[in-house]
Amino acid sequence: MVRTVDAHRDIDARARDILRANDKGGFTVPTGGLYPYQWNWDSVFVALGFATFDESRACREIETLFEAQWDDGFVPHIIFRRNDPDYFPGPDVWQAGTDIPTSGITQPPVAASVVNTLWTRSSSEEIRSRLAALYPKILAWHRWFHRFRIPDGCGAVVITHPWESGRDNSPEWDAPSANIDISGVQPYQRRDLQHADADMRPTKLDYDRYIALVEFGRNAGWDHDVIGSSGPFRVADVGITMILLRATRDLIDLANRLGRDDDLEELEACLQQLVMGTNYLWDETAGTFCSRDTITGRHSGFVTNASFLNCYAAVGNEEQRDKMTAHWERISASANYMLPSHDPDDSRFDALRYWRGPIWIVVNYMLAKGFREQGLDEWAERIAADSRKIISEHGFNEAFSPISGEGSGGSDFSWTAAMWLAWCGAANEQ
Ligand code: GLC
């Protein structure tokens, strides 16, 4: 027992070392080499890790992210604070034309939820006022989603590039990507394969499509109206919709704490619209929440780790929840570690290839939170115990095989370290 406690203390220290090593001065890179810039949702999750030993540094991480916010409220998925030729596609490819160079697409908006959590946990007036200063910026970002990415009558959030989902190569994007024209893509050299095994990364075809979409946005001058209404890839994403829905609940909570009563009516209306959007994402045939192509109207029909975020968003009627429970029981009977990013019973499942099977600890964190809130304690405990075990046995990888537990993708990942400190590490064991 003593040995376990000591071992976990060593892991805690290692997690803090990773955050410090990846700290580039006010912002943290996801990992050295593979991802040498500031990434949107990585930074926000990382703030939860910093907050366990340095609240001020935690605030700084989110403040630097919002320094790159555009005038229309948009918050980019990458901030290129200095050029690093070791990453592709870099700022010269995106050509966003902003003072601080950024990409032209966004990522899942977890900021409201994390800021609300940090606010409630902090007892410092100074920290609380810095967090309160982020509130109007987060509100502007949510408004951006409603203005540009939530079509009338749909209610769900539309992504215009697979990278916006944060689940880059999920099989959910295979069919909607098939019509992306890659004939004009200029020759390019991938850099990711110098840092990670090709079997664990998206394929060449995936990359051609990613770059074609970047070129489309660039040619449109990153005009969000044009991209949102006529881009070649417009998919209502189950992950980002559930996350924005949850973030809206948390923003309402924060608005109440901060006395922002004037915003409440608008936020409640946004919430109702997103709840309606989850019905658009319910696939009756497959009996799951999943993403849906707004161009063809087709559901992906896939059960992914994002499908279960309905608990985090607190949505789903009794029948829908029963069907999700049946999926959980089926998947948990075959996966050694929960929760795979893609259904292990589907032919596209691949235990090592990124979002086609591996476990992602940040998604597990959101799932466990939602499960616990919904009274699904056993599910929450299973997910936390599995996350703790794979990290303590294999290290702070980017993702992990649900079959063997081994790490995949990059190593020394900031958000995995942050989740250990803030959620699944021994210090948080319940
Ligand atoms: C990959 C992941 C994405 C993450 C980024 C940086 O692109 O799919 O979710 O934000 O890496 O870690």
Side-chain angles (χ1 to χ4, degrees), residues 58-364:
C59 289
R60 190 78 201 112
E61 189 73 30
I62 308 180
E63 287 163 355
T64 54
L65 172 65
F66 279 89
E67 276 169 17
Q69 183 167 36
W70 292 15
D71 291 345
D72 64 359
F74 165 87
V75 184
H77 99 297
I78 309 178
I79 299 156
F80 303 106
R81 288 187 188 271
R82 51 164 187 262
N83 203 358
D84 187 328
D86 211 18
Y87 179 82
F88 176 85
D92 48 332
V93 180
W94 290 91
Q95 294 174 19
T98 41
D99 291 343
I100 302 176
T102 70
S103 71
I105 58 172
T106 195
Q107 258 191 336
V110 287
S113 302
V114 168
V115 166
N116 192 39
T117 299
L118 295 178
W119 200 93
T120 45
R121 282 189 192 160
S122 182
S123 50
S124 150
E125 276 311 311
E126 193 240 320
I127 294 295
R128 284 190 163 183
S129 71
R130 282 170 69 183
L131 294 168
L134 289 164
Y135 169 88
K137 301 178 186 188
I138 299 173
L139 176 63
W141 189 19
H142 283 210
R143 284 179 174 147
W144 177 86
F145 275 107
H146 284 271
R147 175 162 168 215
F148 294 104
R149 295 303 186 77
I150 304 186
D152 286 342
C154 163
V157 180
V158 171
I159 54 167
T160 60
H161 192 299
W163 287 342
E164 288 196 308
S165 68
R167 301 181 293 125
D168 304 10
N169 66 338
S170 166
E172 292 214 282
W173 323 132
D174 291 0
S177 296
N179 290 329
I180 299 171
D181 179 7
I182 54 172
S183 61
V185 172
Q186 299 299 309
Y188 63 89
Q189 195 192 344
R190 283 175 71 169
R191 300 286 180 171
D192 56 319
L193 301 180
Q194 289 161 3
H195 301 283
D197 194 327
D199 291 346
M200 298 176 179
R201 297 287 306 167
T203 62
K204 156 106 173 73
L205 178 60
D206 289 332
Y207 253 80
D208 284 351
R209 289 168 172 166
Y210 298 154
I211 301 309
L213 291 174
V214 172
E215 288 176 358
F216 178 88
R218 189 179 66 205
N219 292 338
W222 297 110
D223 180 324
H224 294 139
D225 254 331
V226 172
I227 299 166
S229 59
S230 64
F233 181 92
R234 280 173 284 135
V235 182
D237 168 18
V238 66
I240 212 164
T241 302
M242 297 295 181
I243 287 171
L244 182 63
L245 200 162
R246 170 58 190 252
T248 307
R249 294 192 197 281
D250 290 326
L251 200 58
I252 291 172
D253 212 25
L254 203 55
N256 278 313
R257 294 179 201 288
L258 303 179
R260 302 285 301 233
D261 299 357
D262 291 354
D263 300 333
L264 292 174
E265 200 180 315
E266 174 192 352
L267 286 171
E268 288 291 348
C270 291
L271 183 63
Q272 288 324 312
Q273 198 181 21
L274 287 158
V275 171
M276 181 187 90
T278 62
N279 289 324
Y280 179 82
L281 298 172
W282 177 256
D283 181 352
E284 193 56 44
T285 316
T288 188
F289 291 103
C290 61
S291 299
R292 183 170 178 184
D293 189 340
T294 64
I295 300 174
T296 62
R298 276 193 216 116
H299 285 97
S300 79
F302 293 135
V303 182
T304 65
N305 52 355
S307 303
F308 289 94
L309 287 173
N310 74 300
C311 288
Y312 179 68
V315 292
N317 59 32
E318 213 181 311
E319 197 192 322
Q320 290 168 329
R321 285 170 186 237
D322 285 349
K323 290 191 173 163
M324 294 308 297
T325 300
H327 288 305
W328 171 274
E329 283 169 359
R330 180 175 58 75
I331 294 171
S332 60
S334 70
N336 294 328
Y337 300 96
M338 291 293 268
L339 181 69
S341 48
H342 191 68
D343 188 342
D345 290 330
D346 182 70
S347 62
R348 295 175 195 233
F349 172 81
D350 181 336
L352 291 180
R353 202 182 283 278
Y354 234 43
W355 291 91
R356 302 176 86 86
I359 296 169
W360 291 75
I361 304 295
V362 288
V363 180
N364 272 5

